[in-house]
Amino acid sequence: MAGDCQYLEDLKKSIKSGETFGPDIYYSALVGSEDFIKHDKRAIICTPTEYEIGKAPGMRIVNDNTDLDQLMKVSLDIGATGIKIYEGLSTELVNEVTTKAHNFGLKVWSHGIVVPATLEDVINAGVNTISHAAFFTFPEDWSLAKYGSTVFDTTLVSSDKFNQLIQTMKKNKTVLDPTLTLSFRMDKMKSKDDKLIEFKKNFICKFIKKLHDSGIKIIAGTDIFLPSKPNIVPELHEEIRILSDDVGLGKLEALKGATIYGAEVLGIENKYGSIETGKIANLVVLNSNPLSEIENTSDIDCVIKNGKIIK
Protein backbone atom coordinates (compact mmCIF):
# COMPACT_ATOMS: atom_id res chain seq x y z
CA MET A 1 0.00 0.00 0.00
CA ALA A 2 0.96 3.63 -0.43
CA GLY A 3 -0.38 6.70 1.31
CA ASP A 4 0.51 8.81 4.34
CA CYS A 5 3.72 7.05 5.29
CA GLN A 6 4.04 8.96 8.56
CA TYR A 7 0.69 7.57 9.70
CA LEU A 8 1.54 4.10 8.38
CA GLU A 9 4.88 4.13 10.19
CA ASP A 10 3.20 5.10 13.48
CA LEU A 11 0.57 2.38 12.99
CA LYS A 12 3.22 -0.20 12.11
CA LYS A 13 5.22 0.61 15.25
CA SER A 14 2.09 0.59 17.43
CA ILE A 15 1.11 -2.87 16.17
CA LYS A 16 4.62 -4.22 16.56
CA SER A 17 4.82 -2.99 20.17
CA GLY A 18 1.46 -4.56 21.02
CA GLU A 19 -0.19 -1.23 21.79
CA THR A 20 -2.52 -1.68 18.80
CA PHE A 21 -3.99 -4.93 17.50
CA GLY A 22 -3.59 -5.51 13.77
CA PRO A 23 -1.67 -7.13 10.92
CA ASP A 24 1.94 -6.59 9.99
CA ILE A 25 2.04 -3.62 7.61
CA TYR A 26 4.32 -3.09 4.62
CA TYR A 27 4.04 0.05 2.55
CA SER A 28 5.64 1.95 -0.28
CA ALA A 29 6.70 5.52 -0.93
CA LEU A 30 4.79 6.66 -4.01
CA VAL A 31 6.38 8.70 -6.78
CA GLY A 32 4.67 10.40 -9.71
CA SER A 33 4.70 13.44 -11.95
CA GLU A 34 3.82 16.93 -10.75
CA ASP A 35 0.63 16.88 -12.80
CA PHE A 36 -0.51 13.67 -11.13
CA ILE A 37 0.50 14.39 -7.52
CA LYS A 38 -0.92 17.91 -7.49
CA HIS A 39 -4.26 17.01 -9.07
CA ASP A 40 -5.13 13.52 -7.85
CA LYS A 41 -7.35 13.76 -4.77
CA ARG A 42 -5.85 10.59 -3.29
CA ALA A 43 -2.35 12.08 -3.33
CA ILE A 44 -3.67 15.29 -1.79
CA ILE A 45 -5.57 13.48 0.98
CA CYS A 46 -2.51 11.35 1.79
CA THR A 47 -0.23 14.38 2.21
CA PRO A 48 0.18 15.50 5.84
CA THR A 49 -0.84 19.13 6.31
CA GLU A 50 2.66 20.25 7.31
CA TYR A 51 4.02 19.38 3.85
CA GLU A 52 3.64 21.05 0.50
CA ILE A 53 1.90 18.79 -2.01
CA GLY A 54 4.49 16.58 -3.64
CA LYS A 55 7.15 16.95 -0.93
CA ALA A 56 5.87 14.66 1.81
CA PRO A 57 7.77 11.47 2.64
CA GLY A 58 5.89 8.76 0.82
CA MET A 59 4.10 11.02 -1.67
CA ARG A 60 6.71 12.65 -3.85
CA ILE A 61 6.88 14.49 -7.15
CA VAL A 62 9.85 13.29 -9.18
CA ASN A 63 11.41 14.81 -12.29
CA ASP A 64 14.81 15.01 -13.96
CA ASN A 65 16.05 17.36 -11.21
CA THR A 66 15.02 15.17 -8.26
CA ASP A 67 17.76 14.11 -5.85
CA LEU A 68 17.00 10.39 -5.97
CA ASP A 69 19.60 9.52 -3.33
CA GLN A 70 17.83 11.82 -0.88
CA LEU A 71 14.43 10.44 -1.89
CA MET A 72 15.54 6.85 -1.21
CA LYS A 73 17.06 7.76 2.14
CA VAL A 74 13.84 9.48 3.23
CA SER A 75 11.81 6.47 2.05
CA LEU A 76 13.93 4.14 4.17
CA ASP A 77 13.78 6.51 7.14
CA ILE A 78 9.98 6.50 6.98
CA GLY A 79 9.94 2.70 7.06
CA ALA A 80 8.98 1.97 3.44
CA THR A 81 9.74 -1.44 1.99
CA GLY A 82 9.58 -0.26 -1.60
CA ILE A 83 8.92 2.51 -4.09
CA LYS A 84 5.58 2.64 -5.93
CA ILE A 85 5.86 4.12 -9.41
CA TYR A 86 2.54 5.61 -10.39
CA GLU A 87 1.81 7.93 -13.33
CA GLY A 88 3.50 10.49 -15.52
CA LEU A 89 7.14 9.36 -15.66
CA SER A 90 9.39 9.09 -18.70
CA THR A 91 11.15 5.87 -19.63
CA GLU A 92 14.46 7.35 -18.51
CA LEU A 93 13.06 8.38 -15.13
CA VAL A 94 11.44 4.98 -14.54
CA ASN A 95 14.84 3.40 -15.22
CA GLU A 96 16.64 5.80 -12.88
CA VAL A 97 14.15 5.43 -10.03
CA THR A 98 14.16 1.63 -10.30
CA THR A 99 17.95 1.35 -10.40
CA LYS A 100 18.41 3.78 -7.53
CA ALA A 101 15.78 2.09 -5.37
CA HIS A 102 17.37 -1.32 -5.87
CA ASN A 103 20.78 0.14 -5.00
CA PHE A 104 19.29 1.24 -1.66
CA GLY A 105 17.74 -2.18 -1.03
CA LEU A 106 14.18 -1.07 -1.77
CA LYS A 107 11.69 -3.06 -3.83
CA VAL A 108 9.98 -1.40 -6.80
CA TRP A 109 6.29 -1.89 -7.54
CA SER A 110 4.67 -0.14 -10.47
CA HIS A 111 1.51 0.46 -12.38
CA GLY A 112 1.70 -1.39 -15.67
CA ILE A 113 1.53 1.78 -17.73
CA VAL A 114 3.10 4.96 -16.35
CA VAL A 115 2.86 7.21 -19.45
CA PRO A 116 4.87 8.30 -21.24
CA ALA A 117 6.70 5.12 -20.18
CA THR A 118 4.97 2.13 -21.76
CA LEU A 119 4.24 -1.31 -20.36
CA GLU A 120 7.33 -2.74 -22.02
CA ASP A 121 9.44 0.18 -20.76
CA VAL A 122 8.33 -0.45 -17.18
CA ILE A 123 9.08 -4.18 -17.42
CA ASN A 124 12.49 -3.54 -18.98
CA ALA A 125 13.34 -1.13 -16.17
CA GLY A 126 13.47 -4.13 -13.87
CA VAL A 127 10.60 -3.35 -11.50
CA ASN A 128 9.81 -6.24 -9.17
CA THR A 129 6.05 -6.26 -9.62
CA ILE A 130 3.45 -4.83 -12.00
CA SER A 131 -0.09 -4.25 -10.78
CA HIS A 132 -3.38 -4.51 -12.68
CA ALA A 133 -3.67 -6.98 -15.56
CA ALA A 134 -6.18 -4.63 -17.22
CA PHE A 135 -3.26 -2.44 -18.30
CA PHE A 136 -2.33 -5.15 -20.78
CA THR A 137 -5.49 -4.22 -22.70
CA PHE A 138 -5.03 -0.42 -22.51
CA PRO A 139 -3.45 1.79 -25.18
CA GLU A 140 0.13 2.66 -24.35
CA ASP A 141 -0.63 6.39 -24.09
CA TRP A 142 -3.29 5.62 -21.48
CA SER A 143 -4.08 8.02 -18.67
CA LEU A 144 -7.03 7.95 -16.31
CA ALA A 145 -8.05 11.47 -17.28
CA LYS A 146 -7.81 10.73 -21.01
CA TYR A 147 -9.43 7.31 -21.30
CA GLY A 148 -10.98 6.30 -17.99
CA SER A 149 -10.38 2.99 -16.28
CA THR A 150 -12.33 0.53 -18.43
CA VAL A 151 -10.88 1.24 -21.88
CA PHE A 152 -10.06 -1.81 -24.01
CA ASP A 153 -7.75 -1.60 -27.01
CA THR A 154 -8.42 -4.40 -29.49
CA THR A 155 -5.19 -3.56 -31.33
CA LEU A 156 -3.34 -5.15 -28.41
CA VAL A 157 -5.09 -8.48 -28.99
CA SER A 158 -2.13 -9.72 -30.98
CA SER A 159 -0.25 -12.93 -30.36
CA ASP A 160 3.04 -11.36 -31.46
CA LYS A 161 2.55 -8.41 -29.11
CA PHE A 162 1.68 -10.56 -26.11
CA ASN A 163 4.38 -13.14 -26.79
CA GLN A 164 6.89 -10.32 -26.80
CA LEU A 165 5.58 -8.99 -23.49
CA ILE A 166 5.69 -12.47 -21.96
CA GLN A 167 9.31 -12.96 -22.98
CA THR A 168 10.21 -9.52 -21.63
CA MET A 169 8.55 -10.29 -18.28
CA LYS A 170 10.21 -13.68 -18.10
CA LYS A 171 13.63 -12.20 -18.83
CA ASN A 172 13.20 -9.57 -16.10
CA LYS A 173 11.51 -11.98 -13.63
CA THR A 174 8.58 -9.60 -13.35
CA VAL A 175 5.80 -10.66 -11.00
CA LEU A 176 2.19 -9.81 -11.90
CA ASP A 177 -0.38 -8.61 -9.37
CA PRO A 178 -3.50 -8.75 -11.59
CA THR A 179 -6.15 -7.39 -9.13
CA LEU A 180 -8.90 -9.16 -11.05
CA THR A 181 -11.55 -8.62 -8.38
CA LEU A 182 -11.12 -4.89 -8.87
CA SER A 183 -11.07 -5.07 -12.67
CA PHE A 184 -14.20 -7.19 -12.98
CA ARG A 185 -16.11 -5.09 -10.47
CA MET A 186 -15.22 -1.82 -12.23
CA ASP A 187 -16.17 -3.23 -15.62
CA LYS A 188 -19.63 -4.12 -14.33
CA MET A 189 -20.04 -0.71 -12.71
CA LYS A 190 -19.02 1.30 -15.76
CA SER A 191 -20.33 -0.69 -18.71
CA LYS A 192 -23.70 -2.10 -19.73
CA ASP A 193 -22.25 -4.13 -22.59
CA ASP A 194 -22.41 -7.64 -21.14
CA LYS A 195 -20.72 -9.19 -24.16
CA LEU A 196 -17.75 -6.83 -23.92
CA ILE A 197 -17.49 -7.40 -20.17
CA GLU A 198 -17.43 -11.16 -20.67
CA PHE A 199 -14.97 -10.90 -23.56
CA LYS A 200 -12.58 -8.78 -21.47
CA LYS A 201 -12.86 -11.16 -18.53
CA ASN A 202 -12.15 -14.24 -20.65
CA PHE A 203 -9.34 -12.51 -22.50
CA ILE A 204 -7.55 -11.35 -19.35
CA CYS A 205 -7.98 -14.73 -17.64
CA LYS A 206 -6.54 -16.56 -20.65
CA PHE A 207 -3.62 -14.15 -20.86
CA ILE A 208 -2.79 -14.53 -17.16
CA LYS A 209 -2.89 -18.30 -17.57
CA LYS A 210 -0.48 -17.98 -20.48
CA LEU A 211 1.84 -15.83 -18.35
CA HIS A 212 1.75 -18.42 -15.59
CA ASP A 213 2.38 -21.29 -17.97
CA SER A 214 5.40 -19.37 -19.26
CA GLY A 215 6.92 -19.34 -15.76
CA ILE A 216 5.79 -15.92 -14.53
CA LYS A 217 4.60 -15.75 -10.92
CA ILE A 218 1.11 -14.42 -10.18
CA ILE A 219 0.29 -12.97 -6.76
CA ALA A 220 -3.08 -12.32 -5.14
CA GLY A 221 -3.86 -8.66 -4.52
CA THR A 222 -7.17 -6.79 -4.55
CA ASP A 223 -6.68 -2.99 -4.32
CA ILE A 224 -10.12 -2.79 -2.68
CA PHE A 225 -10.94 -1.28 0.69
CA LEU A 226 -12.69 -3.59 3.09
CA PRO A 227 -16.40 -2.77 3.56
CA SER A 228 -17.41 -1.35 6.92
CA LYS A 229 -20.20 -3.90 7.38
CA PRO A 230 -19.50 -6.74 9.83
CA ASN A 231 -19.12 -10.38 8.79
CA ILE A 232 -18.08 -9.52 5.24
CA VAL A 233 -15.54 -11.92 3.72
CA PRO A 234 -12.44 -9.96 2.60
CA GLU A 235 -12.03 -9.62 -1.17
CA LEU A 236 -8.76 -11.55 -1.05
CA HIS A 237 -10.72 -14.80 -0.85
CA GLU A 238 -12.53 -13.96 -4.09
CA GLU A 239 -9.23 -13.06 -5.76
CA ILE A 240 -7.84 -16.46 -4.79
CA ARG A 241 -10.97 -18.16 -6.16
CA ILE A 242 -10.74 -16.25 -9.47
CA LEU A 243 -7.07 -17.18 -9.90
CA SER A 244 -7.81 -20.82 -9.10
CA ASP A 245 -11.00 -21.37 -11.08
CA ASP A 246 -11.54 -18.59 -13.64
CA VAL A 247 -7.91 -18.16 -14.64
CA GLY A 248 -7.21 -21.85 -14.19
CA LEU A 249 -4.06 -21.70 -12.08
CA GLY A 250 -5.38 -24.41 -9.81
CA LYS A 251 -5.97 -24.30 -6.07
CA LEU A 252 -2.41 -24.81 -4.85
CA GLU A 253 -0.89 -22.22 -7.16
CA ALA A 254 -3.57 -19.66 -6.23
CA LEU A 255 -2.80 -20.27 -2.55
CA LYS A 256 0.90 -19.75 -3.22
CA GLY A 257 0.01 -16.44 -4.83
CA ALA A 258 -1.54 -15.33 -1.53
CA THR A 259 1.29 -16.66 0.67
CA ILE A 260 4.86 -17.46 -0.36
CA TYR A 261 4.85 -15.46 -3.60
CA GLY A 262 3.54 -12.41 -1.74
CA ALA A 263 6.31 -12.83 0.82
CA GLU A 264 8.87 -12.97 -1.99
CA VAL A 265 7.57 -9.70 -3.44
CA LEU A 266 8.10 -8.07 -0.04
CA GLY A 267 11.51 -9.68 0.38
CA ILE A 268 10.49 -11.48 3.59
CA GLU A 269 10.28 -15.06 2.30
CA ASN A 270 13.09 -16.18 4.63
CA LYS A 271 10.82 -15.60 7.64
CA TYR A 272 7.26 -15.68 6.30
CA GLY A 273 5.03 -17.15 3.63
CA SER A 274 5.35 -20.89 4.22
CA ILE A 275 5.35 -23.37 7.11
CA GLU A 276 8.98 -24.23 7.80
CA THR A 277 11.23 -24.64 10.82
CA GLY A 278 12.59 -21.28 11.89
CA LYS A 279 9.92 -19.15 10.23
CA ILE A 280 7.50 -16.84 12.05
CA ALA A 281 4.18 -18.55 12.84
CA ASN A 282 1.72 -16.24 11.06
CA LEU A 283 -0.99 -18.69 10.01
CA VAL A 284 -4.63 -18.94 9.06
CA VAL A 285 -6.04 -22.22 10.40
CA LEU A 286 -8.97 -23.54 8.38
CA ASN A 287 -11.74 -25.96 9.28
CA SER A 288 -11.85 -27.49 5.79
CA ASN A 289 -9.37 -28.17 3.04
CA PRO A 290 -8.99 -25.44 0.34
CA LEU A 291 -7.41 -28.02 -1.96
CA SER A 292 -10.81 -29.69 -2.08
CA GLU A 293 -12.85 -26.50 -2.48
CA ILE A 294 -11.03 -23.18 -2.87
CA GLU A 295 -13.90 -21.37 -1.13
CA ASN A 296 -12.77 -23.09 2.07
CA THR A 297 -10.15 -20.35 2.51
CA SER A 298 -12.91 -18.38 4.26
CA ASP A 299 -13.85 -21.27 6.59
CA ILE A 300 -11.50 -20.00 9.28
CA ASP A 301 -11.06 -21.60 12.68
CA CYS A 302 -8.50 -19.14 14.01
CA VAL A 303 -5.54 -16.96 13.14
CA ILE A 304 -2.08 -17.37 14.64
CA LYS A 305 -0.07 -14.14 14.80
CA ASN A 306 3.59 -14.35 15.83
CA GLY A 307 2.92 -17.75 17.40
CA LYS A 308 -0.10 -16.62 19.43
CA ILE A 309 -3.60 -17.90 18.72
CA ILE A 310 -6.17 -15.21 17.95
CA LYS A 311 -9.73 -16.40 18.43
Side-chain angles (χ1 to χ4, degrees), residues 150 183-192 197 201:
T150 59
S183 295
F184 298 161
R185 178 179 293 185
M186 291 182 69
D187 283 343
K188 289 181 179 179
M189 288 174 57
K190 297 190 176 184
S191 175
K192 295 181 181 180
I197 291 172
K201 177 180 178 179

Side-chain angles (χ1 to χ4, degrees), residues 12-307:
K12 179 179 182 177
K13 289 179 177 177
S14 181
I15 292 171
K16 188 173 183 179
S17 69
E19 180 182 350
T20 302
F21 178 77
D24 296 334
I25 295 176
Y26 299 87
Y27 50 91
S28 61
L30 186 146
V31 298
S33 67
E34 180 175 357
D35 184 61
F36 167 73
I37 297 289
K38 287 191 173 182
H39 295 96
D40 190 282
K41 63 182 180 180
R42 297 165 297 177
I44 295 170
I45 291 171
C46 291
T47 299
T49 55
E50 64 266 31
Y51 289 98
E52 182 181 338
I53 300 295
K55 294 186 177 181
M59 194 60 62
R60 293 286 296 272
I61 293 171
V62 295
N63 54 42
D64 293 338
N65 299 316
T66 299
D67 184 339
L68 293 180
D69 286 287
Q70 187 268 348
L71 187 152
M72 301 306 163
K73 290 176 183 176
V74 169
S75 299
L76 287 171
D77 289 343
I78 207 69
T81 300
I83 299 295
K84 176 64 181 285
I85 297 176
Y86 213 82
E87 189 179 345
L89 304 189
S90 67
T91 302
E92 293 75 18
L93 200 49
V94 170
N95 286 330
E96 291 174 12
V97 168
T98 301
T99 299
K100 187 67 70 173
H102 286 159
N103 288 343
F104 274 80
L106 288 159
K107 298 292 184 178
V108 183
W109 309 310
S110 179
H111 261 186
I113 298 176
V114 181
V115 179
T118 67
L119 179 60
E120 193 167 12
D121 292 334
V122 173
I123 297 169
N124 274 322
V127 302
N128 299 97
T129 308
I130 282 183
S131 292
H132 313 308
F135 279 121
F136 285 85
T137 68
F138 285 12
E140 292 197 329
D141 63 343
W142 176 89
S143 74
L144 186 62
K146 184 174 181 181
Y147 289 107
S149 58
T150 59
V151 66
F152 185 82
D153 186 353
T154 55
T155 63
L156 292 181
V157 187
S158 158
S159 58
D160 290 341
K161 175 72 173 179
F162 280 109
N163 286 334
Q164 180 182 350
L165 287 172
I166 288 171
Q167 292 307 312
T168 305
M169 291 182 73
K170 190 172 181 180
K171 179 185 70 175
N172 288 282
K173 298 181 179 179
T174 313
V175 176
L176 177 64
D177 172 26
T179 64
L180 294 175
T181 307
L182 174 70
S183 295
F184 298 161
R185 178 179 293 185
M186 291 182 69
D187 283 343
K188 289 181 179 179
M189 288 174 57
K190 297 190 176 184
S191 175
K192 295 181 181 180
D193 188 338
D194 292 339
K195 289 185 178 180
L196 178 60
I197 291 172
E198 190 64 20
F199 174 72
K200 289 174 65 175
K201 177 180 178 179
N202 291 336
F203 175 81
I204 291 176
C205 285
K206 288 179 181 178
F207 176 62
I208 294 172
K209 180 63 162 58
K210 190 171 183 179
L211 286 173
H212 170 265
D213 291 347
S214 298
I216 293 164
K217 290 183 178 179
I218 312 295
I219 61 173
T222 63
D223 200 18
I224 293 179
F225 290 105
L226 290 175
S228 57
K229 297 179 182 179
N231 302 320
I232 298 295
V233 176
E235 297 287 349
L236 177 62
H237 296 278
E238 175 64 7
E239 189 78 15
I240 295 170
R241 187 203 65 75
I242 291 172
L243 291 174
S244 170
D245 297 349
D246 296 347
V247 175
L249 300 190
K251 299 175 182 65
L252 180 59
E253 194 67 9
L255 291 169
K256 287 182 178 180
T259 53
I260 187 62
Y261 295 164
E264 290 172 358
V265 164
L266 293 171
I268 59 172
E269 69 274 14
N270 290 333
K271 291 186 177 181
Y272 300 92
S274 60
I275 303 173
E276 298 179 55
T277 301
K279 286 194 171 183
I280 305 298
N282 281 3
L283 305 169
V284 178
V285 182
L286 305 177
N287 293 307
S288 45
N289 188 357
L291 296 179
S292 298
E293 296 290 339
I294 197 64
E295 288 84 358
N296 290 339
T297 59
S298 60
D299 184 14
I300 298 171
D301 176 75
C302 68
V303 173
I304 299 176
K305 174 76 184 294
N306 293 331

